[in-house]
Amino acid sequence: MAQTLHNFHFEDLLNKHHLKKTAPRLRVLSMMSSRNTATSQPDLESVMNDIDRVTLYRILSAFEEKGIIHKVFDLNGTANYALCTSNCDEGHHHDEHLHFNCTQCKNVYCLNDLQLPAINLPVGFVPQAFTLYATGLCPKCSKKAVKQ
Amino acid sequence: MAQTLHNFHFEDLLNKHHLKKTAPRLRVLSMMSSRNTATSQPDLESVMNDIDRVTLYRILSAFEEKGIIHKVFDLNGTANYALCTSNCDEGHHHDEHLHFNCTQCKNVYCLNDLQLPAINLPVGFVPQAFTLYATGLCPKCSKKAVKQ
DNA sequence: ACGTTAATTGTAATATTGTTGCGTTTACAT
DNA sequence: ATGTAAACGCAACAATATTACAATTAACGT
C-alpha cells in the first residue's frame, strides 16, 4: 500500500517541474499517494470540498501535463487519476501498463509491473502509446464473491 | 469502406433483439455502418440534430445493452460508439480488440482483426474482459505527416 | 526582512454532457 | 381495426467541464 512518501518528496517533485508549492497541490499529491488505486475526480472533489472545483481541475491538468499524474477513464467514463511511477516527461507519458477496473467496487488499479506484449498494427498506423485495459474483479471483491 | 449493409439488414438486427424498427434507430445504425471509425456522441448529436438528445442516449444505451454496439472513450473521455462485429450477446460484449485513437484527427478505429496476446494478471485479479488501447497516428494522418 | 511580480487560487458565469419524469405517439401483435 | 407496451419528445434538472477576471500568495531579488 502507499508509497509512504513524505511532504518533502512532494515539494521536490513540484520544484522539479517548476510548480509552486501550494497547499492544494500538496494535498492532492498526498491523497493520491495514500491510495493503491487511482482516484476518481468525484472522489477528489468530495474529499477536497474546501478547495475550489476549478482549482482542482487546473491542478490535475497541470500535473498531467508535467507528467506527474496520468488520467484514465473507467467503465463509466469518469476520469481517474494516479501518480506516474517514473520517467514521465513533460507532455510525454510512459504509462504503458495495465489498468484494471473492478466492476464491483469500481476502483481502478494501475498494475505497473505488468509488461505489455509487443503488438503489430496494420500498415499505416503509427503508435505512440499503448494501454491495456481490463475489467473484472479485484482481489478484495473476488474474495468476497467466493465467501458468499 | 463501410460494410455496405442495407436497411433490411438493420431491420433484421432490430427484430432479432426485439427492438421496434423506428426511424431514429435505423438512422443511427445506418450512420454508424457508413463509417470505418467509431462515431462520437457529439458527432451523432450534431448530425441527427432533429432527433431528441434524450432519444439518442436511450437508443445508444439500448443498443449497447443488446450487444449491437459498443462504447469506447477516447483520449478526451468522450464516448464513441461502434457496431459490434459479431457474437455480442445481451449484456455480454466480446469486443476484445484494439481501439486505436488518432491524436491528430481524433478518430477511433476498431481494429477487430487484431488478436490480443494472453495476459497474466497478479493473483487475486479475476479478469472478465480486456481492451487494448493505442494512441498515435492513423494511416491518413501519418501520410499527411510525411508529406509535410 | 521586504516589496515586486508572475503564478496560482477563488468566484461567477456559462457550456457541455448525461439523467429523470411524464405525457404523447407509434409499432406491432392480436 | 384496435389495444397495448414500447418508444419518442419535451421539460426540468444534475453532473461535469471550461472561460474570464479579480484577489491572493509563493518565490525571487534586493
Side-chain angles (χ1 to χ4, degrees), chain B residues 18-139:
Chain B
H18 309 293
L19 295 171
K20 289 185 181 175
K21 301 163 214 156
T22 66
R25 284 175 175 168
L26 289 171
R27 284 178 57 197
V28 168
L29 287 176
S30 128
M31 173 172 174
M32 302 214 328
S33 78
S34 74
R35 303 190 169 196
N36 62 343
T37 62
T39 310
S40 72
Q41 194 279 335
D43 256 29
L44 273 164
E45 200 172 310
S46 70
V47 172
M48 318 244 180
N49 56 357
D50 54 329
I51 298 178
D52 191 81
R53 263 163 35 78
V54 179
T55 301
L56 212 45
Y57 279 111
R58 284 190 283 225
I59 289 175
L60 291 172
S61 60
F63 283 3
E64 199 189 0
E65 200 172 320
K66 296 289 187 181
I68 296 173
I69 64 175
H70 62 280
K71 170 156 63 167
V72 51
F73 296 100
D74 67 13
L75 286 169
N76 310 310
T78 45
N80 287 57
Y81 298 89
L83 291 173
C84 292
T85 36
S86 50
N87 51 14
C88 288
D89 312 330
E90 175 114 11
H92 287 283
H93 285 263
H94 302 283
D95 301 289
E96 313 212 336
H97 53 263
L98 173 66
H99 288 125
F100 190 95
N101 196 174
C102 182
T103 52
Q104 193 92 54
C105 66
K106 313 299 180 200
N107 276 334
V108 175
Y109 296 78
C110 291
L111 303 180
N112 296 295
D113 307 331
L114 218 83
Q115 185 87 0
L116 289 202
I119 302 288
N120 286 330
L121 290 174
V123 268
F125 287 95
V126 181
Q128 287 162 4
F130 288 97
T131 306
L132 185 56
Y133 193 82
T135 61
L137 294 177
C138 73

Side-chain angles (χ1 to χ4, degrees), chain A residues 126-138:
Chain A
V126 181
Q128 288 162 2
F130 288 97
T131 305
L132 185 56
Y133 193 82
T135 61
L137 293 177
C138 73

